[in-house]
Amino acid sequence: MPTSMVVGSSEDDIAEALTVARQLGDAVIVAYGNVNTGSLAEYGHKVYHVKADDPESVFLAVKQVYDEVKPSLVVAPTNKNLKDALSRLSGLYDLPMATEVFNVKVSGSSASYTRGFLSGRALEDDQVPLPAVLLIAARKVPRAQKSQAKGEVVELQASPAVKIIERRPKERGGVNIETAELIVSVGRGFRSKEDLKLAFELAEALGAQIGCSRPIAADLKWLGEDHWVGLSGHKVAPRLYVAIGISGAPQHLAGITDAKVVVAINNDKSAPIFKNCDYGVVADLYQFVPVLTKRVKERLHR
Amino acid sequence: MGDIVVLLKPALNPEMIRGTQDGSVDFDYMPLKLSDIDRNAVEEAVMLRDQYFKGSKIYSISVVTWGPASKRDKDVKMAVQEGLAKGVDEAYIVEDDSIVPGDPVTTASAIVAVIRKFGLKPDLILAGEATIDGFSGQVAGRVAVKLGLPYVSFARKVELKGNSIVAERDVEDYVEVVEAPLPAVVSVTREINAPRPPTLVQIRMASRKPQHMVKLSDLEGVVTPKRRLAAARVLAVKRKQMIIEGKTPEETADKLLDALASEGVIKA
Ligand SMILES: Cc1cc2nc3c(=O)[nH]c(=O)nc-3n(C[C@H](O)[C@H](O)[C@H](O)COP(=O)(O)OP(=O)(O)OC[C@H]3O[C@@H](n4cnc5c(N)ncnc54)[C@H](O)[C@@H]3O)c2cc1C
């Protein structure tokens, strides 16, 4: 009897979750949406597939497989639709559920893990009895290997009560900030949308992507949400993160804990970002950033 | 028709984090406050009531998860009071040391038990997408499934149309407009509205509104797994904190670039 169930909508997500799940032995896969089930079957586990990708359909499919397999562990990536779908599964059977976990260790009776806590200002080491549901943090776990055997593929149907009327893709600035090596990030210190060009010019000179704090994407909408860094935005791990006109609220810092080097440019020497950066420049961004850009151009491109 | 229940959590205030000597989080000394996103949920409840069902009531339910209850009482009352000042009519507070520290399993079952025990018949249950301490966003989904209600998560816009709710769900890559029959459970994001601070008059009136204190012995079906307090340590990301200064902006820029080059993060 398989002891774990893995849920996901992309091969990357599923392969990472499998690494955690295989600690307990055999697993089944519940894949949803538009995925290549043939490729997934090559991991050697039985694949259940539901075409729909709304959280209610995913919940209904997951519940069906859960009832059949009765796994001790459910592993999935952390994202909004899976928080929705798996919180319902957890609620139905009163299972403990934890999100954005890493360092997961599973034994026969319990799972231990680490996760961010208190808006990213603390880490908690927790342990839950099995059966449990774990949503793992992205890219903190290696991918599982494919196997010789090919798993069977079973198609599932779901009929949700919530009706989808329309779906519009979000405007994408063409960035994938989570994998960017260099990031120039902008905050409320910029007085207008036009002024962001100072940061764009620096980013271009460095070959960096543009990131931003929440107000820039959520309130002012000067940039698309794919640029948004932080607790409720994207977690980034660049070599270099340059925070310009960003105060350094804990919810912003929660997104940059994995950055190698953090540079802060801010005109308020008591801004919390200066306690959370490697190199700080206390200056008016309007004066300093153009000079920095000019020197980068001269030094990098001469 | 048209009553609303809004879930309000007195959460640990991350801004007031305290560490002990060995770097672990000192839970006893951290104050609680109304979780930020729950503020958006209560604002939305008030706006929906005013727009669609005038005269109906807004109830709030709070489950105290951080104890001991006696020590948290003041913070809890303040958080609940804030909801009442914003327009909640009656508050239910589940305060019982036997569920402390609480967890989402317990919290969801306690919320459902309150709804059943006091015969609340909400058309809508609103919650924040997540709370600022745990940020795992699972209580609303648990409540929905336990009550057998449709669940709409991460709503950044909500309207009522006849006996249905039409909401814009904010997912990572897309926005999805969905329609669900009422009664339903909805979790909202911070983008849904800009919470208005209560007026002085509202604050004064809030203290006269009913607050029902509920003990576990009053409730049926609350699941209380034996939870230990997780070991939590204050996250200290070690940064160099070097302030770079020069006589001119050019000199500062050069010093900064030298530092970055010596770190190997740029080639200048
Ligand atoms: C539940 C929750 C989740 C959140 N999630 C996120 C998140 O994911 N990401 C996020 O970023 N925030 C998030 N926030 C919001 C966060 O708390 C802060 O409000 C936000 O990060 C502030 O953005 P900021 O630093 O750009 O703006 P501000 O805090 O307003 O800072 C602007 C800074 O610019 C400086 N400045 C002004 N003028 C100049 C100038 N001419 N030159 C140089 N510097 C200048 C100021 O000194 C100041 O330090 C969240 C909040 C909550 C409650």
Side-chain angles (χ1 to χ4, degrees):
Chain A
M1 201 59 168
T3 39
S4 319
M5 176 165 116
V6 156
V7 188
S9 61
S10 81
E11 193 171 328
D12 283 343
D13 286 347
I14 288 169
E16 287 178 8
L18 267 176
T19 303
V20 174
R22 281 178 180 172
Q23 291 182 44
L24 273 189
D26 198 10
V28 295
I29 297 171
V30 180
Y32 61 92
N34 223 341
V35 280
N36 183 342
T37 49
S39 179
L40 286 178
E42 290 167 17
Y43 288 87
H45 304 280
K46 188 166 177 179
V47 179
Y48 296 87
H49 177 238
V50 60
K51 229 193 171 78
D53 62 355
D54 61 287
E56 190 178 353
S57 300
V58 176
F59 162 61
L60 294 170
V62 164
K63 178 187 176 304
Q64 192 182 330
V65 179
Y66 188 91
D67 290 342
E68 187 182 320
V69 179
K70 296 261 184 313
S72 338
L73 185 67
V74 179
V75 191
T78 303
N79 64 44
K80 289 179 171 177
N81 279 338
L82 284 173
K83 278 186 179 179
D84 177 327
L86 296 181
S87 68
R88 302 195 215 197
L89 181 78
S90 306
L92 193 61
Y93 299 117
D94 288 324
L95 308 174
M97 163 170 149
T99 57
E100 273 193 86
V101 301
F102 52 99
N103 293 341
V104 185
K105 297 200 181 57
V106 193
S107 72
S109 60
S110 68
S112 68
Y113 53 80
T114 305
R115 68 183 297 267
F117 185 57
L118 294 171
S119 294
R121 303 202 66 175
L123 287 175
E124 70 174 335
D125 299 310
D126 206 359
Q127 190 176 347
V128 289
L130 301 185
V133 177
L134 298 180
L135 273 57
I136 59 176
R139 287 185 317 279
K140 296 223 182 191
V141 183
R143 293 176 50 137
Q145 297 296 312
K146 291 198 169 179
S147 95
Q148 302 295 326
K150 218 172 147 104
E152 174 197 357
V153 177
V154 181
E155 291 293 333
L156 302 174
Q157 305 292 333
S159 38
V162 175
K163 214 165 67 205
I164 300 175
I165 298 172
E166 186 193 343
R167 191 179 273 184
R168 333 184 261 275
K170 280 190 187 166
E171 215 179 295
R172 287 219 143 253
V175 292
N176 185 351
I177 201 85
E178 295 189 355
T179 57
E181 284 285 323
L182 302 163
I183 298 174
V184 170
S185 201
V186 297
R188 203 65 192 84
F190 286 82
R191 289 194 283 266
S192 75
K193 186 177 175 182
E194 288 63 51
D195 296 349
L196 295 182
K197 80 169 190 299
L198 297 177
F200 292 152
E201 283 162 6
L202 176 61
E204 195 188 329
L206 283 168
Q209 305 282 2
I210 292 281
C212 68
S213 64
R214 180 183 180 279
I216 302 297
D219 304 328
L220 301 165
K221 300 196 188 332
W222 290 348
L223 289 171
E225 290 172 19
D226 43 347
H227 296 274
W228 172 349
V229 174
L231 178 71
S232 43
H234 298 279
K235 314 272 179 302
V236 299
R239 225 161 53 218
L240 173 64
Y241 187 85
V242 186
I244 308 177
I246 293 178
S247 60
Q251 296 87 2
H252 187 80
L253 299 174
I256 62 171
T257 49
D258 289 338
K260 184 165 175 245
V261 173
V262 174
V263 170
I265 300 167
N266 197 304
N267 62 0
D268 173 6
K269 67 175 189 311
S270 61
I273 190 78
F274 286 124
K275 292 246 176 306
N276 294 281
C277 72
D278 295 291
Y279 301 101
V281 176
V282 183
D284 184 333
L285 73 90
Y286 287 89
Q287 260 126 52
F288 184 68
V289 174
V291 175
L292 182 61
T293 304
K294 180 164 157 276
R295 292 301 291 136
V296 169
K297 279 188 188 153
E298 287 164 8
R299 290 173 58 143
L300 276 177
H301 309 291
R302 74 182 146 221
Chain B
M1 116 109 190
D3 286 350
I4 299 177
V5 162
V6 43
L7 309 180
L8 300 183
K9 181 178 180 182
L12 288 172
N13 183 352
E15 316 278 334
M16 307 289 271
I17 191 165
R18 293 251 319 233
T20 58
Q21 289 242 298
D22 68 351
S24 45
V25 174
D26 199 347
F27 290 105
D28 287 353
Y29 285 95
M30 286 183 66
L32 308 179
K33 69 161 189 174
L34 177 59
S35 181
D36 293 68
I37 314 174
D38 293 355
R39 207 168 271 143
N40 298 88
V42 69
E43 179 77 25
E44 198 60 24
V46 171
M47 296 203 298
L48 289 173
R49 195 255 324 263
D50 291 352
Q51 191 175 353
Y52 298 101
F53 4 71
K54 274 223 178 325
S56 60
K57 283 198 156 185
I58 302 176
Y59 300 93
S60 72
I61 303 176
S62 303
V63 179
V64 178
T65 54
W66 298 104
S70 54
K71 218 180 140 234
R72 300 300 192 176
D73 208 48
K74 218 172 120 226
D75 288 359
V76 170
K77 290 261 162 59
M78 287 236 306
V80 170
Q81 195 86 2
E82 192 177 332
L84 290 165
K86 281 170 148 308
V88 168
D89 295 293
E90 286 184 38
Y92 291 88
I93 305 167
V94 182
E95 196 184 84
D96 198 311
D97 277 329
S98 62
I99 54 171
V100 169
D103 68 320
V105 178
T106 310
T107 302
S109 63
I111 289 164
V112 169
V114 168
I115 290 175
R116 295 215 168 109
K117 158 101 186 172
F118 295 94
L120 305 183
K121 298 247 168 348
D123 266 342
L124 202 56
I125 299 178
L126 287 168
E129 64 164 287
T131 50
I132 50 164
D133 45 6
F135 214 76
S136 72
Q138 48 176 296
V139 167
R142 288 176 182 272
V143 168
V145 81
K146 281 175 176 293
L147 292 172
L149 298 180
Y151 176 39
V152 175
S153 58
F154 304 100
R156 66 171 196 193
K157 189 173 170 196
V158 172
E159 281 169 2
L160 295 186
K161 220 171 78 187
N163 213 27
S164 303
I165 177 161
V166 176
E168 266 188 35
R169 295 187 62 238
D170 187 336
V171 193
E172 282 88 353
D173 295 335
Y174 54 86
V175 173
E176 183 174 86
V177 184
V178 299
E179 183 172 338
L182 293 179
V185 178
V186 177
S187 80
V188 306
T189 70
R190 290 188 76 209
E191 287 69 50
I192 195 164
N193 55 38
R196 297 161 291 183
T199 62
L200 266 173
V201 178
Q202 281 182 308
I203 293 171
R204 232 176 285 132
M205 287 201 345
S207 56
R208 273 181 269 158
K209 293 182 177 179
Q211 295 188 25
H212 310 278
M213 302 305 291
V214 185
K215 288 271 166 223
L216 226 51
S217 50
D218 303 333
L219 298 175
E220 266 167 48
V222 179
V223 187
T224 53
K226 278 273 161 284
R227 186 187 188 227
R228 57 188 187 87
L229 196 59
R233 52 206 139 92
V234 179
L235 182 63
V237 179
K238 291 212 171 41
R239 299 275 177 211
K240 295 194 176 75
Q241 302 183 28
M242 283 186 31
I243 298 294
I244 305 230
E245 287 171 320
K247 286 190 204 71
T248 60
E250 283 76 11
E251 193 187 320
T252 311
D254 274 329
K255 282 189 178 170
L256 175 62
L257 293 174
D258 289 344
L260 297 181
S262 71
E263 293 268 5
V265 295
I266 60 166
K267 288 200 198 67

